[in-house]
């Protein structure tokens, strides 16, 4: 997973970050990034990798703040399929479903 940090965070290397209520981070895989951007060709490429056993379509990511995973305005758990639904990427959602992707609730 790639972690994109927003708000006020300290160093990631120490594992410590500020307790600011404004601080939060979201996790994102390359597949989730492609879904968010609407890049069908990249999604299809990663699906191909998954068929070869070189990628996982069902990595569960989280949004979190200093109090933990989820919370007001944050998604607790999500996969690429959940992201396709949230972003209204119907064509991508269908590709993921045909490839065997599932929602975080099923993982």
């Amino acid at each position: 997973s790639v972690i994109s940090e927003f708000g006020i965070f300290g160093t990631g290397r120490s594992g410590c970050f500020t307790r600011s209520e404004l601080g939060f981070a979201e996790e994102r895989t390359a597949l989730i990034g492609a879904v968010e951007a609407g890049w069908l060709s990249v999604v299809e490429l990663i699906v191909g990798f998954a068929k070869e056993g070189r990628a996982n379509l069902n990595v569960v990511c989280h949004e979190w703040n200093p109090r933990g995973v989820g919370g007001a305005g944050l998604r607790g758990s999500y996969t690429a399929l959940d992201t396709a639904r949230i972003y209204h990427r119907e064509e991508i959602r269908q590709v993921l479903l045909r490839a065997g992707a599932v929602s975080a609730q099923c993982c």
Side-chain angles (χ1 to χ4, degrees):
S1 289
V2 174
I3 299 179
S4 300
E5 297 184 359
F6 301 93
I8 306 167
F9 282 83
T11 64
R13 290 181 183 209
S14 68
C16 298
F17 55 93
T18 182
R19 297 190 195 291
S20 168
E21 294 297 317
L22 299 176
F24 76 95
E26 66 178 283
E27 299 173 338
R28 179 183 297 124
T29 63
L31 178 57
I32 289 174
V35 170
E36 288 176 351
W39 293 340
L40 177 61
S41 61
V42 175
V43 171
E44 291 172 332
L45 180 69
I46 296 171
V47 165
F49 289 151
K51 288 178 181 176
E52 297 171 358
R54 299 190 303 157
N56 183 344
L57 303 178
N58 298 314
V59 174
V60 177
C61 290
H62 307 280
E63 290 181 355
W64 45 272
N65 64 26
R67 287 176 289 179
V69 172
L74 300 176
R75 295 175 286 171
S77 302
Y78 52 95
T79 62
L81 184 63
D82 297 315
T83 303
R85 180 185 47 78
I86 292 166
Y87 279 72
H88 305 285
R89 307 281 192 215
E90 186 57 31
E91 187 175 10
I92 289 174
R93 192 177 78 80
Q94 291 301 319
V95 168
L96 292 171
L97 283 170
R98 284 192 300 272
V102 297
S103 173
Q105 294 175 346
C106 299
C107 291

